[in-house]
Coordinates of all heavy atoms in Angstrom, one line a residue:
K1457 N 21.4 3.0 18.8 CA 22.7 3.1 18.1 C 23.8 3.8 18.9 O 24.9 3.3 18.9 CB 22.5 3.9 16.7 CG 23.8 3.9 16.0 CD 23.5 4.7 14.6 CE 24.8 4.9 13.8 NZ 26.0 4.2 14.1
R1458 N 23.4 4.8 19.7 CA 24.4 5.5 20.4 C 25.0 4.6 21.5 O 26.2 4.6 21.8 CB 23.8 6.7 21.1 CG 23.6 7.9 20.1 CD 23.0 9.0 20.8 NE 21.6 8.7 21.0 CZ 20.7 9.2 21.8 NH1 21.2 10.1 22.6 NH2 19.5 8.8 21.9
E1459 N 24.1 3.8 22.2 CA 24.5 2.9 23.3 C 25.3 1.8 22.6 O 26.4 1.4 23.2 CB 23.3 2.3 23.8 CG 23.5 1.7 25.2 CD 22.2 1.3 25.8 OE1 21.1 1.4 25.2 OE2 22.3 0.8 27.0
F1460 N 25.0 1.2 21.4 CA 25.7 0.2 20.7 C 27.2 0.7 20.4 O 28.1 0.0 20.7 CB 24.9 -0.1 19.4 CG 24.9 -1.5 19.0 CD1 23.9 -2.3 19.4 CD2 25.9 -2.0 18.1 CE1 23.8 -3.7 19.0 CE2 25.8 -3.3 17.7 CZ 24.8 -4.1 18.2
D1461 N 27.2 1.9 19.8 CA 28.5 2.4 19.4 C 29.4 2.7 20.7 O 30.6 2.5 20.7 CB 28.3 3.8 18.6 CG 27.8 3.5 17.3 OD1 27.9 2.4 16.8 OD2 27.3 4.5 16.7
E1462 N 28.8 3.2 21.8 CA 29.6 3.5 23.0 C 30.2 2.2 23.5 O 31.4 2.2 24.0 CB 28.7 4.1 24.0 CG 29.5 4.4 25.3 CD 28.6 4.6 26.5 OE1 27.4 4.9 26.4 OE2 29.1 4.4 27.6
I1463 N 29.4 1.1 23.5 CA 30.0 -0.1 24.1 C 31.1 -0.6 23.1 O 32.2 -1.1 23.7 CB 28.9 -1.2 24.1 CG1 27.9 -0.8 25.2 CG2 29.4 -2.6 24.4 CD1 26.6 -1.6 25.3
I1464 N 30.9 -0.6 21.8 CA 31.9 -1.0 20.9 C 33.2 -0.2 21.0 O 34.3 -0.8 21.0 CB 31.4 -1.1 19.4 CG1 30.4 -2.2 19.3 CG2 32.4 -1.2 18.4 CD1 29.7 -2.2 18.0
H1465 N 33.1 1.1 21.1 CA 34.3 1.9 21.1 C 35.0 2.0 22.5 O 36.2 2.4 22.6 CB 34.0 3.4 20.7 CG 33.6 3.4 19.2 ND1 34.4 3.0 18.2 CD2 32.4 3.7 18.6 CE1 33.7 3.1 17.0 NE2 32.5 3.6 17.3
N1466 N 34.4 1.7 23.6 CA 34.9 1.9 24.9 C 35.0 0.7 25.8 O 35.6 0.8 26.9 CB 34.1 3.0 25.7 CG 34.1 4.3 25.0 OD1 35.1 4.6 24.4 ND2 32.9 4.9 25.0
A1467 N 34.5 -0.4 25.4 CA 34.5 -1.6 26.3 C 35.5 -2.7 25.9 O 36.0 -2.7 24.7 CB 33.1 -2.3 26.2
P1468 N 36.0 -3.5 26.9 CA 36.9 -4.5 26.6 C 36.2 -5.6 25.7 O 34.9 -5.7 25.8 CB 37.3 -5.1 28.0 CG 36.1 -4.7 28.8 CD 35.6 -3.4 28.3
Y1469 N 37.0 -6.5 25.1 CA 36.4 -7.4 24.2 C 37.2 -8.7 24.3 O 38.3 -8.8 24.6 CB 36.3 -6.9 22.8 CG 37.6 -6.7 22.1 CD1 38.2 -7.6 21.4 CD2 38.2 -5.3 22.2 CE1 39.5 -7.4 20.8 CE2 39.3 -5.1 21.6 CZ 40.0 -6.1 20.9 OH 41.3 -5.8 20.3
L1470 N 36.5 -9.8 23.8 CA 37.1 -11.1 23.5 C 36.8 -11.4 22.1 O 35.8 -11.1 21.6 CB 36.4 -12.2 24.4 CG 36.3 -11.9 25.9 CD1 35.4 -12.9 26.6 CD2 37.7 -12.2 26.5
K1471 N 37.7 -12.2 21.4 CA 37.5 -12.6 20.1 C 38.1 -13.9 19.8 O 39.1 -14.3 20.4 CB 37.8 -11.4 19.1 CG 39.4 -11.3 19.0 CD 39.7 -10.2 18.0 CE 41.2 -10.1 17.7 NZ 41.5 -9.1 16.7
N1472 N 37.6 -14.6 18.8 CA 38.1 -15.7 18.2 C 37.8 -15.7 16.7 O 37.4 -14.6 16.1 CB 37.7 -17.0 18.8 CG 36.1 -17.2 18.7 OD1 35.5 -16.6 17.9 ND2 35.7 -18.2 19.5
R1473 N 37.8 -16.8 16.0 CA 37.6 -16.8 14.5 C 36.1 -16.6 14.1 O 35.8 -16.2 13.0 CB 38.0 -18.2 13.9 CG 39.5 -18.4 14.0 CD 39.9 -19.8 13.4 NE 39.4 -19.8 12.0 CZ 39.1 -20.9 11.4 NH1 39.2 -22.2 12.0 NH2 38.7 -20.9 10.1
Y1474 N 35.2 -16.7 15.1 CA 33.8 -16.7 14.8 C 33.1 -15.5 15.4 O 32.0 -15.1 14.9 CB 33.2 -18.0 15.3 CG 33.9 -19.2 14.8 CD1 34.8 -20.0 15.7 CD2 33.8 -19.6 13.5 CE1 35.5 -21.0 15.2 CE2 34.5 -20.7 13.0 CZ 35.3 -21.5 14.0 OH 36.1 -22.4 13.4
Y1475 N 33.6 -15.0 16.6 CA 32.8 -13.9 17.3 C 33.8 -12.8 17.8 O 35.0 -13.1 18.0 CB 32.2 -14.6 18.6 CG 31.3 -15.7 18.4 CD1 31.7 -16.9 18.7 CD2 30.0 -15.5 18.1 CE1 30.9 -18.0 18.6 CE2 29.1 -16.6 17.9 CZ 29.6 -17.8 18.2 OH 28.7 -18.9 18.1
V1476 N 33.2 -11.7 18.0 CA 33.9 -10.6 18.8 C 32.8 -10.2 19.8 O 31.7 -10.0 19.4 CB 34.3 -9.4 18.0 CG1 34.9 -8.4 18.8 CG2 35.2 -9.8 16.8
I1477 N 33.2 -10.3 21.1 CA 32.2 -10.1 22.1 C 32.7 -8.9 23.0 O 33.7 -9.0 23.7 CB 31.9 -11.3 23.0 CG1 31.4 -12.5 22.2 CG2 30.9 -10.9 24.1 CD1 31.2 -13.7 23.0
Y1478 N 32.0 -7.8 22.9 CA 32.3 -6.6 23.8 C 31.4 -6.7 25.0 O 30.3 -7.2 25.0 CB 31.9 -5.3 23.0 CG 32.8 -5.1 21.8 CD1 32.5 -5.5 20.6 CD2 34.0 -4.3 22.0 CE1 33.3 -5.4 19.5 CE2 34.8 -4.1 20.9 CZ 34.5 -4.5 19.7 OH 35.3 -4.3 18.6
N1479 N 31.9 -6.4 26.2 CA 31.1 -6.3 27.4 C 31.4 -5.1 28.2 O 32.6 -4.7 28.3 CB 31.4 -7.6 28.2 CG 32.8 -7.9 28.5 OD1 33.4 -7.0 29.1 ND2 33.3 -9.0 28.2
K1480 N 30.3 -4.6 28.8 CA 30.5 -3.4 29.5 C 29.6 -3.5 30.8 O 28.5 -3.9 30.8 CB 30.0 -2.1 28.7 CG 30.0 -0.8 29.5 CD 29.5 0.3 28.6 CE 29.5 1.5 29.4 NZ 28.6 2.5 28.9
E1481 N 30.2 -3.1 31.9 CA 29.6 -3.1 33.2 C 28.4 -2.2 33.2 O 28.4 -1.0 32.7 CB 30.5 -2.7 34.3 CG 31.6 -3.8 34.7 CD 31.0 -5.0 35.3 OE1 30.0 -4.9 36.1 OE2 31.6 -6.0 35.2
R1482 N 27.3 -2.5 34.0 CA 26.2 -1.7 34.2 C 25.4 -2.1 35.5 O 25.8 -3.2 36.0 CB 25.3 -1.5 33.0 CG 24.5 -2.8 32.6 CD 23.8 -2.6 31.4 NE 22.8 -3.7 31.3 CZ 21.6 -3.8 31.9 NH1 21.2 -2.7 32.5 NH2 20.9 -4.8 31.7
S1483 N 24.4 -1.4 35.9 CA 23.8 -1.7 37.2 C 22.6 -2.6 37.2 O 22.4 -3.3 38.2 CB 23.5 -0.4 37.9 OG 22.6 0.4 37.1
P1484 N 21.7 -2.7 36.2 CA 20.5 -3.5 36.4 C 20.8 -5.0 36.6 O 22.0 -5.5 36.5 CB 19.8 -3.3 35.0 CG 20.2 -1.9 34.7 CD 21.6 -1.8 35.1
K1485 N 19.8 -5.8 36.9 CA 20.0 -7.1 37.4 C 19.8 -8.2 36.4 O 19.6 -9.3 36.6 CB 18.9 -7.4 38.5 CG 19.0 -6.5 39.7 CD 18.0 -6.8 40.7 CE 18.3 -6.0 41.9 NZ 17.4 -5.1 42.2
F1486 N 20.0 -7.8 35.0 CA 19.9 -8.7 34.0 C 20.9 -8.4 32.9 O 21.0 -7.2 32.6 CB 18.5 -9.0 33.4 CG 17.8 -7.7 32.9 CD1 18.0 -7.2 31.7 CD2 17.1 -6.9 33.9 CE1 17.4 -6.0 31.3 CE2 16.5 -5.7 33.5 CZ 16.7 -5.3 32.1
P1487 N 21.4 -9.3 32.1 CA 22.3 -8.9 31.0 C 21.5 -8.5 29.9 O 20.3 -8.9 29.7 CB 23.0 -10.3 30.7 CG 22.1 -11.3 31.2 CD 21.4 -10.8 32.3
R1488 N 22.1 -7.6 29.0 CA 21.5 -7.2 27.8 C 22.4 -7.6 26.6 O 23.6 -7.6 26.9 CB 21.1 -5.7 27.8 CG 20.1 -5.3 28.8 CD 19.7 -3.8 28.7 NE 20.8 -2.9 28.5 CZ 20.7 -1.7 28.1 NH1 19.6 -1.3 27.7 NH2 21.8 -1.0 28.0
F1489 N 21.8 -7.7 25.5 CA 22.6 -8.2 24.3 C 22.3 -7.4 23.1 O 21.1 -7.0 22.9 CB 22.2 -9.7 24.0 CG 22.4 -10.6 25.2 CD1 21.3 -10.9 26.1 CD2 23.6 -11.1 25.5 CE1 21.5 -11.8 27.1 CE2 23.8 -12.0 26.5 CZ 22.8 -12.3 27.3
G1490 N 23.3 -7.3 22.2 CA 23.1 -6.7 20.9 C 23.8 -7.6 19.9 O 24.9 -8.1 20.2
L1491 N 23.2 -7.9 18.8 CA 23.8 -8.8 17.7 C 24.1 -7.9 16.6 O 23.3 -7.1 16.1 CB 22.9 -9.8 17.4 CG 22.5 -10.9 18.6 CD1 21.4 -11.8 18.0 CD2 23.7 -11.6 19.0
A1492 N 25.3 -8.2 16.0 CA 25.7 -7.4 14.8 C 26.2 -8.5 13.8 O 27.0 -9.3 14.1 CB 26.7 -6.4 15.1
V1493 N 25.5 -8.5 12.6 CA 25.9 -9.4 11.5 C 26.1 -8.5 10.3 O 25.1 -7.9 9.8 CB 24.8 -10.4 11.3 CG1 25.1 -11.4 10.2 CG2 24.5 -11.1 12.6
G1494 N 27.3 -8.4 9.8 CA 27.6 -7.7 8.6 C 27.2 -8.2 7.3 O 26.7 -9.4 7.2
K1495 N 27.1 -7.4 6.3 CA 26.6 -7.8 5.0 C 27.6 -8.8 4.3 O 27.2 -9.5 3.3 CB 26.5 -6.6 4.1 CG 25.3 -5.8 4.5 CD 25.0 -4.7 3.5 CE 23.7 -3.9 3.9 NZ 23.3 -2.9 2.9
K1496 N 28.8 -8.9 4.8 CA 29.8 -9.9 4.3 C 29.2 -11.3 4.5 O 29.7 -12.3 3.9 CB 31.2 -9.8 4.9 CG 31.8 -8.5 4.4 CD 33.2 -8.5 5.1 CE 34.0 -7.2 4.7 NZ 35.3 -7.1 5.3

């Protein structure tokens, strides 16, 4: 949760009608993903 919140509050983002994608630089050699789907 702390990592999730840090990315959402401090990272740049892209958005359209269907998605909001936050992305943050880091060092390891593979991308990591978090999915958030609200109760709405």
